[in-house]
Amino acid sequence: VFIGKEDFSMLNIITNKNDDVQEFNDSYFEFYTSMEKITEDDKRYIKDIDGSDFITADKIVTKFGETVLENISTGCKTMLNIVHHPEIIFSIVECGANVIDNIFELAKAEQSYTIYANRMILPSYFFLETPVMINGEKMNNTEEYVRWWEYGRD
Amino acid sequence: MLGGGNMAEINIKKTMKHDRINIENRKTRIELQFKDSLTFVTGDSGTGKTYTFNRLQVASTIEKEYEDMVFYTTNGRVDVEKMAKIENDIKSNKNKFVIIDHADIILNKGAREFIGKDINNQYLIFGRNTDDLCYYPEQIVKIVTMQKDKPVIVFNWNNE
């Protein structure tokens, strides 16, 4: 049970795609997020998710060689989109487990935001430490959350 | 999760255009081995799925043995109309090696159902949702990079 966290951090998940959902994370990143200042936290996400080193926006050292910021993975772009624009509902359908872990960690860090998901997402340790709402319905624990995805969907 | 269709409907005499792909440039090698006419590549973000897609696209323009490849990816906004167009286009392929990136965004249910049962083309699909596409666990694979003299991208068929 999530005691005391409800007031300041919450991961809101919506499962009905509407016009407010931004599913083109690559395009959004190129047009908006990549134009903004890349913070030390952003660099840590790039390292953690892609295993790449941010030197400058024009020099990202990946395991395949050097590239530019616009060529980081879609999952990493989604993460940075969420961090930079928590007011936008981004689709996470293209995100791998390594991004999902970071999404839950971000919600733990006293920030509320909303994402669109079409499948159950869980941290790799299979346990929710973050208060979660699905379509406005509050999930009180991991079991309730898993049960919602198994039986509660329309 | 797997497709959920009727496995009896699947004809096992499927088209295999390529059982291996080996391409190399100055920085990396890509060595892919295929076991089925449909290969669905999934796994963590940043493992090289789109990188591999882009490299194959380049290879198809220059290598005659890969000229049967056709590519689908997000190119501008993908709405219902565009998904229908992609579905129709995919259905028109014959004896092609169809390679699809961002499958979760560009494939509608009709395209998925067609691909899952198509026996005339080979498919390499990068995405996460295998609904209506995959009927056997053996069709789903992760991509990994091995560090040798240069990074080598391969399929990890053990999905470890």
Side-chain angles (χ1 to χ4, degrees):
Chain A
V1 179
F2 312 114
I3 299 170
K5 285 189 170 182
E6 290 88 331
D7 292 338
F8 51 81
S9 70
M10 175 78 74
L11 175 60
N12 297 299
I13 299 172
I14 64 167
T15 61
N16 299 311
K17 194 157 61 178
N18 57 46
D19 289 344
D20 291 333
V21 173
Q22 179 54 256
E23 64 176 331
F24 304 108
N25 278 287
D26 293 294
S27 302
Y28 192 93
F29 182 83
E30 184 164 338
F31 277 87
Y32 298 106
T33 307
S34 68
M35 305 284 280
E36 297 157 12
K37 179 178 167 52
I38 297 300
T39 68
E40 291 304 312
D41 281 345
D42 296 338
K43 293 176 189 175
R44 276 194 288 275
Y45 286 126
I46 293 169
K47 182 70 177 176
D48 184 58
I49 294 169
D50 284 1
S52 302
D53 292 311
F54 177 98
I55 311 300
T56 70
D58 291 319
K59 187 176 180 180
I60 311 281
V61 181
T62 79
K63 54 195 161 199
F64 311 122
E66 286 182 12
T67 188
V68 295
L69 186 58
E70 287 72 17
N71 288 339
I72 62 175
S73 71
T74 299
C76 197
K77 287 175 187 172
T78 304
M79 188 69 216
L80 297 189
N81 286 341
I82 291 170
V83 170
H84 281 241
H85 298 275
E87 74 284 5
I88 305 283
I89 303 171
F90 290 101
S91 167
I92 57 87
V93 301
E94 294 198 280
C95 293
N98 52 342
V99 180
I100 302 300
D101 277 352
N102 279 291
I103 286 173
F104 279 101
E105 284 298 313
L106 183 65
K108 248 172 29 182
E110 304 186 17
Q111 187 167 16
S112 294
Y113 55 93
T114 304
I115 57 171
Y116 164 76
N118 61 356
R119 66 181 195 278
M120 182 171 75
I121 55 168
L122 263 179
S124 53
Y125 42 87
F126 299 114
F127 185 77
L128 287 186
E129 294 178 331
T130 310
V132 174
M133 286 182 92
I134 308 178
N135 297 334
E137 186 182 343
K138 188 181 166 203
M139 301 291 116
N140 290 304
N141 51 50
T142 308
E143 290 72 24
E144 194 173 306
Y145 176 79
V146 172
R147 208 178 307 126
W148 189 94
W149 283 102
E150 287 182 348
Y151 305 111
R153 305 185 70 180
D154 291 332
Chain B
M1 72 194 96
L2 295 181
N6 182 356
M7 286 176 65
E9 294 174 17
I10 309 301
N11 188 333
I12 58 169
K13 291 179 181 173
K14 295 177 178 179
T15 301
M16 281 286 280
K17 299 284 294 174
H18 299 271
D19 57 6
R20 281 174 192 280
I21 287 177
N22 293 306
I23 57 176
E24 182 171 12
N25 71 3
R26 193 167 49 82
K27 290 181 176 174
T28 56
R29 276 204 304 275
I30 295 177
E31 300 175 354
L32 307 180
Q33 185 185 356
F34 300 98
K35 296 184 174 182
D36 191 276
S37 66
L38 191 153
T39 305
F40 191 95
V41 184
T42 186
D44 278 350
S45 296
T47 49
K49 296 187 289 293
T50 297
Y51 178 82
T52 301
F53 178 91
N54 292 337
R55 290 285 311 283
L56 293 174
Q57 203 161 19
V58 171
S60 73
T61 64
I62 202 76
E63 296 284 355
K64 194 161 179 60
E65 66 175 305
Y66 299 137
E67 66 183 10
D68 60 348
M69 291 177 173
V70 290
F71 296 85
Y72 298 91
T73 185
T74 49
N75 187 10
R77 188 169 184 81
V78 181
D79 52 19
V80 173
E81 203 172 301
K82 196 162 182 180
M83 286 169 96
K85 187 175 179 305
I86 290 170
E87 177 189 351
N88 288 333
D89 202 70
I90 287 173
K91 286 178 175 176
S92 71
N93 289 319
K94 287 280 184 294
N95 290 317
K96 297 291 186 185
F97 190 179
V98 182
I99 304 176
I100 302 169
D101 195 17
H102 299 293
D104 299 300
I105 289 183
I106 69 171
L107 294 184
N108 60 16
K109 188 170 174 60
R112 287 170 171 273
E113 288 176 347
F114 173 81
I115 291 168
K117 296 171 182 173
D118 185 22
I119 59 171
N120 293 314
N121 301 286
Q122 183 173 351
Y123 293 90
L124 173 60
I125 303 174
F126 300 93
R128 308 216 171 270
N129 180 8
T130 61
D131 285 359
D132 300 315
L133 285 170
C134 300
Y135 290 83
Y136 313 103
E138 293 76 18
Q139 293 174 316
I140 303 169
V141 69
K142 288 183 178 173
I143 204 166
V144 292
T145 302
M146 299 188 303
Q147 293 298 333
K148 294 189 176 174
D149 54 318
K150 61 174 68 171
V152 183
I153 296 172
V154 298
F155 288 151
N156 176 8
W157 282 105
N158 299 319
N159 280 332
E160 290 162 349

